[in-house]
């Protein structure tokens, strides 16, 4: 018999939101890992709020909303609030009931600034790493370092001589043939961004640099940082991150040809690590000699180091960092670290579900 196409008139729903989400939905383990990390952050989050006054947005719900924004590539907070109005899956993950009022986007943004001041992204990332270590998914010996360009929220036409104020009608100014350098020019949109290109033949962009250290066993990220774009930023950041990631003074560290410098090789050896970086013999003598390359472990590190590119690919195609929506190194760094933490949770879910 043909069904009735009458407009639904029921006012109440008797199915709990928890029952509407399938038991095998991939977001369930993500929610469990997020809640475990937030429990570890409870005391730190409590210090960011006053004990008096009107209750604000629960920081746990705010962070869950940011997690789901990264997972589903929701490009703006305004669109995220729209999704929370009618997407029951998003409401369940964030912790909102079906009839709870969704926050105003400006209130959401202002409350997010409090998390920025408290460096919550780094703390959240540390809690995720602690879960991976508890699940025995990490190696304490073999690492890979690499960096990537993170395009700033600024256009080439905003890159003008320092101190110059754009005149009326100059928005379509022709920059062809004009020599522009970071020493003499600066973006009027994001002054902290730098004009930089990754290699010969590549186009220059206004950008920052994101750096990570990954574990060679499963490709999990164990440290992340964002810096200004310079020619030595990758090697300098790698040394700092390795000091944070090391739990024992032995092991190996892989990297591409950009890390083949005597300063970096000596610094890693001082940390007790064997540098397994790719040899750069294009126009100079490599800092890596046969004493290192003759071992079978060197070839293994060269194979494993390419896995780190998967994290950059995921964060740029899914995690919203191909072109940043925020300005300034602090905000960009916060979102880069947070995206790295969400990537680790995705990897952990896949690894744990496969066992």
């Amino acid at each position: 018999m043909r069904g009735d196409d009458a407009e639904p008139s029921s006012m109440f729903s008797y199915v709990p939101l928890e029952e509407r989400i399938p038991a095998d939905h991939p977001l369930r383990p993500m929610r469990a890992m997020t809640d475990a990390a937030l429990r570890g952050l409870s005391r730190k989050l409590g210090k960011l709020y006053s004990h008096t006054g009107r209750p604000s947005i629960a920081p746990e719900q705010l962070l869950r909303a940011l997690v789901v924004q990264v997972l589903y590539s929701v490009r703006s907070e305004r669109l995220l609030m729209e999704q929370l109005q009618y997407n029951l899956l998003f409401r369940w993950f964030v912790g909102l009931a079906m009839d709870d009022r969704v926050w105003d986007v400006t209130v959401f943004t202002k409350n997010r600034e409090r998390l920025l001041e408290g460096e919550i992204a780094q703390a959240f990332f540390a809690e995720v790493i602690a879960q991976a270590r508890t699940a025995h998914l990490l190696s304490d010996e073999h690492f890979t370092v690499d960096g990537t360009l993170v395009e700033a929220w600024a256009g080439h036409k905003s890159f003008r001589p320092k101190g110059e104020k754009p005149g009326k009608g100059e928005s379509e100014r022709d920059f062809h043939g004009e020599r522009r350098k970071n020493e003499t020019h600066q973006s009027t949109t994001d002054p902290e961004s730098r004009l930089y290109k990754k290699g010969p033949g590549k186009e220059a962009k206004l950008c920052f640099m994101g750096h990570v250290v990954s574990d060679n066993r499963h490709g999990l990220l164990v440290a992340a940082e964002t810096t200004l774009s310079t020619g030595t930023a990758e090697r300098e950041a790698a040394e700092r991150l390795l000091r944070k990631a090391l739990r024992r003074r032995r092991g190996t560290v892989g990297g591409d040809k950009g890390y083949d410098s005597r300063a970096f090789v000596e610094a890693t050896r001082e940390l007790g690590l064997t540098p397994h970086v790719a040899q750069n013999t294009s126009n100079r003598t490599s800092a890596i000699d046969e004493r290192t390359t003759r071992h079978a472990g060197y070839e293994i590190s060269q194979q494993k180091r390419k896995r780190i590119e998967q994290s950059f690919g995921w964060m740029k195609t899914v995690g919203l960092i191909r072109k940043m929506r925020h300005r300034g190194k602090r905000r960009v760094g916060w979102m880069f670290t947070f995206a790295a933490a969400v990537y680790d949770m995705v990897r952990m879910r896949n690894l744990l579900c496969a066992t």
Side-chain angles (χ1 to χ4, degrees):
M1 186 178 76
R2 180 176 177 178
D4 188 10
D5 189 32
E7 291 290 332
S9 60
S10 59
M11 183 179 296
F12 303 102
S13 173
Y14 298 97
V15 180
L17 191 56
E18 178 70 26
E19 293 184 10
R20 294 180 180 272
I21 312 302
D24 58 348
H25 196 281
L27 270 191
R28 283 194 176 273
M30 297 293 293
R31 171 69 187 269
M33 286 185 283
T34 302
D35 289 347
L38 292 176
R39 284 193 293 271
L41 290 178
S42 180
R43 182 174 298 180
K44 189 175 181 66
L45 290 171
K47 295 178 181 179
L48 301 178
Y49 292 81
S50 172
H51 297 290
T52 60
R54 187 172 58 182
S56 180
I57 299 174
E60 292 84 358
Q61 292 183 344
L62 183 63
L63 285 165
R64 290 195 201 101
L66 290 174
V67 169
V68 81
Q69 182 182 15
V70 173
L71 285 173
Y72 284 87
S73 308
V74 182
R75 63 180 182 271
S76 69
E77 283 79 10
R78 191 173 300 278
L79 186 58
L80 177 63
M81 296 303 103
E82 180 183 328
Q83 287 276 349
L84 285 173
Q85 288 284 1
Y86 52 76
N87 193 320
L88 297 183
L89 178 64
F90 282 19
R91 279 182 171 268
W92 167 80
F93 190 92
V94 172
L96 295 175
M98 291 181 65
D99 296 326
D100 284 348
R101 183 179 178 183
V102 177
W103 323 299
D104 184 83
V105 64
T106 57
V107 177
F108 177 85
T109 304
K110 289 179 180 179
N111 278 270
R112 187 190 58 203
E113 292 301 309
R114 183 180 284 113
L115 302 181
L116 175 67
E117 295 295 330
E119 298 183 352
I120 298 300
Q122 284 287 354
F124 185 81
F125 183 73
E127 290 292 334
V128 173
I129 292 301
Q131 293 183 48
R133 190 163 279 116
T134 302
H136 305 289
L137 296 176
L138 292 178
S139 165
D140 291 332
E141 296 182 301
H142 306 291
F143 303 96
T144 298
V145 295
D146 204 358
T148 188
L149 294 185
V150 179
E151 190 173 351
W153 189 255
H156 275 277
K157 291 187 181 296
S158 71
F159 197 61
R160 298 173 176 271
K162 294 181 179 179
E164 176 189 280
K165 294 184 179 179
K168 190 174 181 179
E170 286 191 8
S171 59
E172 297 301 323
R173 175 180 166 189
D174 187 5
F175 291 99
H176 288 288
E178 180 179 336
R179 189 174 181 84
R180 295 185 292 171
K181 294 183 178 181
N182 290 316
E183 293 77 12
T184 57
H185 289 61
Q186 188 179 53
S187 171
T188 56
T189 305
D190 188 348
E192 290 187 272
S193 62
R194 295 290 184 270
L195 192 65
Y196 189 81
K197 62 180 181 179
K198 189 71 171 176
K202 303 289 183 66
E203 70 276 14
K205 298 179 180 179
L206 286 167
C207 57
F208 298 91
M209 295 195 77
H211 314 272
V212 296
V213 177
S214 74
D215 163 72
N216 281 3
R217 178 179 293 174
H218 294 301
L220 290 169
L221 305 181
V222 296
E225 181 182 317
T226 304
T227 66
L228 301 180
S229 302
T230 66
T232 60
E234 284 190 282
R235 294 188 292 270
E236 293 168 355
E239 184 180 347
R240 288 193 301 270
L241 293 178
L242 285 171
R243 292 182 185 276
K244 294 180 183 179
L246 282 181
R247 293 174 64 87
R248 58 177 68 182
R249 292 282 179 171
R250 63 186 179 90
T252 64
V253 55
D256 58 29
K257 294 180 180 180
Y259 296 93
D260 185 8
S261 71
R262 298 206 175 275
F264 179 75
V265 168
E266 291 174 1
T268 54
R269 284 174 175 159
E270 288 177 3
L271 293 173
L273 296 171
T274 302
H276 281 181
V277 300
Q279 291 180 298
N280 185 6
T281 58
S282 57
N283 55 4
R284 58 185 175 83
T285 304
S286 173
I288 304 296
D289 54 32
E290 192 176 349
R291 291 177 298 175
T292 301
T293 60
R294 63 188 174 90
H295 294 287
Y298 179 81
E299 292 297 328
I300 296 174
S301 293
Q302 290 302 298
Q303 296 173 5
K304 293 287 187 179
R305 73 174 177 84
K306 299 174 184 178
R307 183 178 288 173
I308 201 171
E309 299 294 343
Q310 297 176 8
S311 65
F312 292 146
W314 187 92
M315 287 193 286
K316 288 189 176 184
T317 57
V318 179
L320 302 171
I321 70 160
R322 180 179 296 280
K323 187 176 181 69
M324 297 306 300
R325 300 164 291 115
H326 308 279
R327 298 169 184 169
K329 188 170 78 70
R330 288 193 65 196
R331 286 185 176 87
V332 171
W334 200 99
M335 292 307 302
F336 181 83
T337 302
F338 193 80
V342 178
Y343 170 79
D344 275 353
M345 289 196 296
V346 173
R347 280 291 292 155
M348 290 165 59
R349 180 199 64 190
N350 296 340
L351 290 168
L352 294 174
C353 290
T355 56

